[in-house]
Amino acid sequence: MRAEKIREIEELTIAERAESLPILEVICDKCSITVPQLFASTKFAQEVTGRIVTVRIFQKQGFGPVKIGRIINRDHTTVMHHQDVFQRLWSAYDQEEPEDEASQAHKIYLRSLQIIPVYLVTRKELIIQNLIAPPRGKQRLETISPLA
């Protein structure tokens, strides 16, 4: 019984990845990595950037942490951590310029990670290729300069 359940989950994961492959290929292209690197357990900056961008893209498409985790070969808690990291980075881009030097240095460091600009460029490309739905409301497709 347990072996059948594991096989069923593995087949579901393979199907979800195959269905998501065009989106994953665009994300990997924008992050300068391969799809297997996206699934790997390494923690190189470009690969982690790719995973965080992937989590955000699929989250905005209505996928939950468990399903996203199955797609990128990660536990749902890792997906939730990536969502939290993205939110912190997004708020750092969204803020006014900090007044003290330590806050400015931290903001420059966060911007140097390039996750938000990569996400915006990737999202725009996915919309152009009709792989994801365009944003609704006030959201825009423009990119943010890394050090703007």
Side-chain angles (χ1 to χ4, degrees):
M1 177 76 171
R2 183 169 167 81
E4 291 175 17
K5 184 69 173 168
I6 291 171
R7 190 171 25 260
E8 182 181 311
I9 290 172
E10 288 173 350
E11 289 172 5
L12 180 63
T13 302
I14 292 168
E16 287 171 338
R17 284 188 187 163
E19 185 179 293
S20 306
L21 192 58
I23 295 172
L24 296 175
E25 287 173 340
V26 171
I27 293 168
C28 289
D29 180 54
K30 296 296 179 189
C31 295
S32 302
I33 61 173
T34 63
V35 174
Q37 285 175 313
L38 185 70
F39 300 142
S41 61
T42 55
K43 296 182 180 179
F44 295 110
Q46 289 176 309
E47 295 169 8
V48 174
T49 297
R51 289 182 204 118
I52 292 172
V53 168
T54 301
V55 166
R56 182 61 175 184
I57 294 288
F58 283 111
Q59 178 190 18
K60 294 299 272 181
Q61 295 304 305
F63 288 51
V66 173
K67 189 169 184 178
I68 296 170
R70 285 196 304 244
I71 291 170
I72 64 169
N73 196 30
R74 294 290 182 278
D75 185 71
H76 74 281
T77 57
T78 303
V79 171
M80 292 166 55
H81 172 71
H82 286 332
Q83 290 171 336
D84 182 53
V85 168
F86 185 90
Q87 283 305 116
R88 283 186 280 136
L89 291 170
W90 188 263
S91 66
Y93 267 82
D94 228 15
Q95 293 175 357
E96 297 285 326
E97 287 299 319
E99 293 181 17
D100 62 345
E101 285 185 39
S103 296
Q104 277 185 325
H106 184 67
K107 188 168 183 179
I108 289 170
Y109 165 74
L110 290 176
R111 287 180 175 175
S112 73
L113 296 176
Q114 299 293 310
I115 292 172
I116 301 300
V118 168
Y119 163 72
L120 292 169
V121 169
T122 304
R123 182 181 71 163
K124 187 174 184 176
E125 181 67 26
L126 289 168
I127 291 168
I128 289 169
Q129 292 186 23
N130 289 320
L131 293 173
I132 64 172
R136 293 176 281 165
K138 296 180 180 180
Q139 296 174 342
R140 296 175 295 212
L141 296 178
E142 64 194 23
T143 59
I144 296 176
S145 169
L147 296 174

